[in-house]
Amino acid sequence: MHLCQPFKALVLAMALMMASGVDINKHEENMNSCPVIQCCAPGTNGLPGRDGRDGKEGPKGEKGDQGEGLRGLQGFPGKAGPQGTKGDQGPQGEKGQKGESATFDSLQRQVTALEKNIQTLQADISRHQKFFSFRWVKSVGKKTFMSTGTKDSFENGKSLCTKAGGGLACPHNHAENTALREILKDSEQAYLGMSDVQTEGKFLYLNGRPVTYTNWETGEPNNDENEDCVAMYDNEKWNDIDCSNSEMLIICEF
Ligand code: GLC
Ligand code: CA
């Protein structure tokens, strides 16, 4: 080992001082303050030291240019905004084509005519509905007998037939009597349009004229317990009977 001259001298001095009893610790400071590099020739390089601490944060950089990334998808439409204020009145429109009002009048006339036709048809339908609501129909000569199948008293029967536009059935001859009989089912009886309510024993048609044709059952009319009305049996024969019997079939004539 090669030692430099000053260091060699120091070693010698220390050895001398130790030998002479001098405390070398007092001189230790002086020894440490002596840089080794200054004391000897440079040796081989040591291992690299540890990385130093991070420096202070640098100043904020300038804003960069706008990037050119891909454009995103369009978002959903937003909510409708509030209603705007009413605009000014627009300019007057162009004059309409001539003749339009005439066409409208014509249409209105046609509509009115159609409405009238509908009313007439409705009335006809109503009349025919009443006509065909009868269960039995029998025509003889100019007369038609019809029944709804209703059984009722003399007064109610008269009312029903009058409302239907006819009258309570009343045969004026043998042909009509037979036709009327054909409407009756077995054991059924029907009121006839006549009575002797005004004068006992004097039968009159509903128009007040005296009865000209009769077909009494044997022994009738007997005015049994004051009978003022007349009913036909299912054998074509007649019997005077109580006017309030509600089991008589009502047959009308038209
Ligand atoms: C009998 C009598 C008849 C009378 C009737 C009254 O059938 O023969 O004359 O009108 O009873 O329900
Ligand atoms: Ca009788």
Side-chain angles (χ1 to χ4, degrees):
M1 184 180 180
H2 176 77
L3 298 173
C4 62
Q5 286 301 322
F7 187 71
K8 203 187 277 181
L10 182 65
V11 172
L12 289 171
M14 281 177 70
L16 185 64
M17 284 178 356
M18 285 170 75
S20 62
V22 175
D23 190 359
I24 60 169
N25 289 333
K26 290 180 181 175
H27 303 283
E28 206 173 324
E29 255 184 2
N30 295 336
M31 284 179 68
N32 288 341
S33 65
C34 174
V36 174
I37 295 170
Q38 288 179 357
C39 298
C40 62
T44 52
N45 289 337
L47 292 171
R50 285 185 296 176
D51 289 345
R53 288 182 192 160
D54 291 341
K56 283 183 183 174
E57 191 177 1
K60 190 175 181 179
E62 284 181 27
K63 188 178 180 184
D65 296 333
Q66 188 174 1
E68 288 187 4
L70 287 174
R71 190 187 173 92
L73 291 172
Q74 187 173 355
F76 292 111
K79 286 182 183 173
Q83 189 174 8
T85 50
K86 191 178 178 183
D88 297 332
Q89 188 174 1
Q92 189 173 4
E94 287 178 27
K95 195 175 179 183
Q97 285 183 327
K98 196 180 176 184
E100 253 183 35
S101 59
T103 309
F104 181 74
D105 286 349
S106 163
L107 282 171
Q108 207 160 33
R109 273 199 299 276
Q110 285 180 49
V111 168
T112 308
L114 283 170
E115 282 175 342
K116 234 177 181 178
N117 281 347
I118 288 167
Q119 277 178 2
T120 307
L121 283 169
Q122 280 175 333
D124 282 352
I125 288 167
S126 173
R127 206 155 42 85
H128 284 91
Q129 276 176 336
K130 280 178 188 165
F131 187 90
F132 289 111
S133 67
F134 286 90
R135 200 175 67 185
W136 298 279
V137 181
K138 207 79 198 170
S139 288
V140 51
K142 289 183 178 179
K143 192 176 273 188
T144 303
F145 295 115
M146 293 187 224
S147 175
T148 59
T150 302
K151 287 177 180 173
D152 214 325
S153 66
F154 178 75
E155 286 302 323
N156 287 342
K158 268 201 304 184
S159 172
L160 188 153
C161 291
T162 307
K163 280 180 185 169
L168 198 57
C170 189
H172 282 244
N173 53 53
H174 179 67
E176 289 183 8
N177 202 66
T178 303
L180 192 62
R181 153 70 186 96
E182 288 173 6
I183 291 179
L184 286 177
K185 284 199 269 184
D186 286 351
S187 303
E188 270 187 334
Q189 298 179 47
Y191 274 124
L192 301 183
M194 60 180 70
S195 83
D196 69 345
V197 69
Q198 284 186 322
T199 309
E200 178 53 41
K202 277 196 172 183
F203 286 90
L204 304 175
Y205 294 121
L206 298 181
N207 62 8
R209 288 182 185 157
V211 167
T212 55
Y213 166 82
T214 61
N215 195 33
W216 296 111
E217 177 66 89
T218 308
E220 306 295 343
N222 61 0
N223 196 32
D224 184 22
E225 297 181 15
N226 193 26
E227 298 170 314
D228 293 334
C229 285
V230 181
M232 179 187 274
Y233 287 131
D234 61 355
N235 65 354
E236 287 190 20
K237 296 295 181 182
W238 301 1
N239 168 42
D240 59 341
I241 196 169
D242 195 296
C243 294
S244 59
N245 189 322
S246 57
E247 286 305 307
M248 299 293 109
L249 180 69
I250 304 304
I251 302 173
C252 306
E253 65 175 35
F254 299 89

